[in-house]
Amino acid sequence: LPKSNGSPMCVENTETHKIYCLGGWDNSSVFNDIVEYDPRTPDNNGAVKVKNAKLPVGLFYSGCVENSATHKIYCLGGVEAWFGPSPWGQGRRIIEYDPSAPDNSADAVKVKFAILPNSSLFESPACAENSATHKIYCFASGIWTGHSGQVIEYDPSAPDNNSAVKIKTPIPGSYGGAPACAENTTNHNIYCFGGWTPLPLIFFTSRCPLNGPCDGTLDIIFSYDPTTDQTTKRSVRMPQARFTTSFVENCSTHRIYGIAGGSYFGYTKPIMEYYDQSPQNAICPRGQPSTPVANATISTDNVTFQKSITVFRGVPTTVYFSAANSSDPDWAANVTNGGKC
C-alpha cells in the first residue's frame, strides 16, 4: 500500500476482480483516498494504484458493499473527518463509487441524496448485500456514541431520495455494536457474528460469552432473512467472543469464515468457520461475471486445426478436437483440452 492504513474499507469488484480500499486512518490522519489492487497483475507495486477519484470526506469505520448488479460500491455511515475546522462526526451519508467511470470525472464518486436516519448509530455499521435483490442491509452500530439493534435497508436502484432507505424490524433485545456480517448466497440470509454490548446491558441480557470473561464482547450469531424481515438468534455460539472481526463467505462452499478480531483483553488470531447446513449446489453468483470464451477447433491430422472440416459419408475419418484457444477467466485450469473420435 502507498501508506500505512489501520482501517480501510475494502471491496471486490466482481466484474474485474480488482479490489478497492476506500478511506481509513492511521491514528492521526483520516484518509479520503481510493486505492485499487489488481491481484492478477505481476506481484510488484504496479499492482497497486492510487486513484485520482477521492471520497468527499476522510472516512473510516464505514460499511462498504458492492452492488453486484452494477459493480458500484456503496459506503454507508462511518466516522467522517472534514478537511476544515469541523470536528469528526458520525456520518449519515451514502457515498457511491463507480470503478468503471473515468477516474477524474464527477461520475466516479457521488454523495447520494438519500441519508441514513440516525448518525449516532452508524459509526461502524455492518453491511452486506442481498445478491438476489441487490439491496444492501446494514446493522447499526455506534461503538463509542451509542448502541442499537437497528436494521436498515438501502436500495441503490430506487429513486435517490430518503425513500431508498427503510428502517426494518430491529434486532430483538438491546443489542450492541460492531458485529461482522456476511451473506450466504444460497439462501440470501445475512449472518452476523459477535459484537459488543455496554457492560450494564450484559448483566440484564445474559449475554456473557460461554468461553471467556464477561467484558461486553459477544459470542452470539444471528441470521437475518431479508424476505421476511426476521432475525433469528442461532443456537450455536462462536468459540471465542469477538468484535470488529472480518467475516467473508467462500461462495463455492457457502461457508463463512471469520478472521482475527478483538476483545477488551486483546486481539485474536484464530480463524473461525461457520456452516449452517444450507445446500451447496447453487452456482456462486459472485466471482463469475467474466464469460468463458469457447473456441473449439477440429483437425484430421492433429496438427492443423480449423473451424470446420469436410468428411464424406462412408469414409471412416479420425478427427481431433482442440480447446487450446478457449479460456475461462475465473478457473483457467478447468478448460478441458483435446480428444478424438
Side-chain angles (χ1 to χ4, degrees):
L1 294 175
K3 57 187 173 185
S4 299
N5 194 333
S7 56
M9 293 77 67
C10 298
V11 182
E12 181 199 17
N13 177 339
T14 55
E15 182 177 40
T16 64
H17 304 296
K18 294 178 180 179
I19 296 169
Y20 293 88
C21 293
L22 300 89
W25 75 318
D26 64 358
N27 286 329
S28 61
S29 300
V30 182
F31 307 137
N32 68 339
D33 302 312
I34 300 173
V35 178
E36 175 189 278
Y37 171 60
D38 188 349
R40 297 186 175 193
T41 62
D43 186 20
N44 54 48
N45 286 341
V48 177
K49 296 178 182 177
V50 179
K51 308 299 286 183
N52 292 320
K54 303 289 183 185
L55 298 174
V57 292
L59 187 67
F60 66 103
Y61 287 166
S62 181
C64 295
V65 181
E66 183 207 29
N67 176 342
S68 58
T70 64
H71 307 293
K72 295 178 181 180
I73 295 170
Y74 294 87
C75 293
L76 295 88
V79 179
E80 296 182 357
W82 284 93
F83 294 104
S86 300
W88 290 3
Q90 283 65 50
R92 300 175 66 185
R93 301 171 190 268
I94 299 173
I95 299 173
E96 174 190 279
Y97 172 58
D98 185 354
S100 68
D103 188 29
N104 56 359
S105 74
D107 292 329
V109 177
K110 296 179 180 178
V111 178
K112 309 301 286 183
F113 288 104
I115 59 174
L116 300 173
N118 188 329
S119 64
S120 67
L121 303 177
F122 286 91
E123 177 187 328
S124 58
C127 301
E129 181 203 26
N130 175 349
S131 59
T133 63
H134 307 294
K135 295 178 180 180
I136 294 170
Y137 294 85
C138 291
F139 301 85
S141 167
I143 303 177
W144 313 118
T145 57
H147 301 268
S148 168
Q150 197 170 60
V151 180
I152 297 296
E153 175 191 276
Y154 172 60
D155 186 353
S157 66
D160 185 21
N161 54 48
N162 285 343
S163 67
V165 177
K166 292 185 170 63
I167 299 176
K168 310 298 285 185
T169 303
I171 302 167
S174 300
Y175 188 74
C181 302
E183 181 200 21
N184 180 323
T185 51
T186 57
N187 58 22
H188 303 294
N189 284 354
I190 296 169
Y191 294 81
C192 294
F193 302 81
W196 183 72
T197 292
L199 278 173
L201 292 177
I202 278 283
F203 301 107
F204 293 105
T205 57
S206 300
R207 284 186 172 156
C208 291
L210 293 177
N211 300 305
C214 197
D215 62 352
T217 311
L218 302 177
D219 62 354
I220 63 173
I221 301 170
F222 65 84
S223 61
Y224 175 75
D225 186 344
T227 60
T228 62
D229 190 29
Q230 294 296 313
T231 301
T232 302
K233 183 178 177 182
R234 315 303 291 187
S235 57
V236 66
R237 284 184 163 189
M238 298 164 64
Q240 209 174 52
R242 298 184 193 177
F243 65 92
T244 61
T245 303
S246 293
F247 274 85
V248 64
E249 183 203 30
N250 176 340
C251 59
S252 294
T253 64
H254 306 293
R255 297 175 185 239
I256 296 173
Y257 293 87
I259 301 170
S263 72
Y264 281 89
F265 290 87
Y267 295 94
T268 60
K269 295 188 292 184
I271 297 173
M272 299 182 189
E273 177 186 81
Y274 178 72
Y275 180 47
D276 70 345
Q277 304 301 312
S278 294
Q280 296 191 53
N281 58 0
I283 296 176
C284 175
R286 307 183 185 198
Q288 292 192 72
S290 302
T291 303
V293 177
N295 188 0
T297 51
I298 192 168
S299 169
T300 56
D301 60 6
N302 204 25
V303 176
T304 303
F305 286 85
Q306 307 172 73
K307 291 289 186 181
S308 64
I309 61 171
T310 300
V311 295
F312 299 93
R313 185 187 301 273
V315 179
T317 305
T318 299
V319 294
Y320 301 84
F321 300 94
S322 172
N325 294 321
S326 298
S327 65
D328 185 331
D330 294 309
W331 294 282
N334 284 5
V335 175
T336 300
N337 181 34
K340 70 176 183 177
C341 66

